[in-house]
Amino acid sequence: MAKIGLWGIASVAVLTMLYLVYMALTFEAPAGTTTVVITPPVQPLEAEPEAVEELQERTVLPQNIFREGTQTVAVAESEPEIAEPPEEVSLPEPEPEPIDAVDAAPQIELPSLNASDSFVFDSIRA
């Protein structure tokens, strides 16, 4: 029986070696180049100085806070809305269960953990 396992391992090793030799003999290098050319990002257009000034005037935030003539943002002077707090709703108190229902359940005395196997098996059979 041990020789069958040894022959099985040897046959798998020989087949693996033959497969590797076949792959080495039939390997073809990929043709062409594998270099990927990425297009450069869009270059900003050189705008006329008048167009740049007009664009800066339209922007909300100033480009440079130390430059003279920067536009400031006006803040609305309105009163914030104050919502009224929601009404508090009191939930009714749940009614407690009658004591008779609790006493009606059968009382079971549980055995210790070491002796609980037979108790569990008997409970499952029942």
Side-chain angles (χ1 to χ4, degrees):
M1 186 87 150
K3 289 185 180 182
I4 293 174
L6 184 61
W7 283 107
I9 293 172
S11 62
V12 168
V14 169
L15 289 174
T16 303
M17 186 61 139
L18 290 175
Y19 178 71
L20 291 174
V21 169
Y22 168 76
M23 292 296 288
L25 293 176
T26 60
F27 177 75
E28 294 180 14
T33 179
T34 58
T35 304
V36 177
V37 178
I38 300 174
T39 58
V42 177
Q43 298 296 328
L45 298 175
E46 293 187 25
E48 298 174 3
E50 298 156 355
V52 172
E53 288 177 9
E54 181 183 333
L55 180 64
Q56 287 177 350
E57 288 175 4
R58 285 189 290 162
T59 57
V60 176
L61 298 175
Q63 297 296 324
N64 188 347
I65 60 172
F66 299 110
R67 185 181 303 163
E68 291 182 21
T70 57
Q71 184 179 1
T72 58
V73 178
V75 179
E77 298 289 333
S78 63
E79 293 291 324
E81 291 184 26
I82 299 176
E84 295 181 18
E87 295 180 20
E88 291 187 22
V89 179
S90 61
L91 297 176
E93 293 291 324
E95 296 180 14
E97 291 185 22
I99 297 176
D100 297 338
V102 175
D103 292 338
Q107 298 293 325
I108 300 174
E109 187 174 327
L110 296 176
S112 67
L113 185 60
N114 291 338
S116 64
D117 292 345
S118 61
F119 173 76
V120 172
F121 291 140
D122 293 340
S123 299
I124 291 173
R125 282 189 205 121

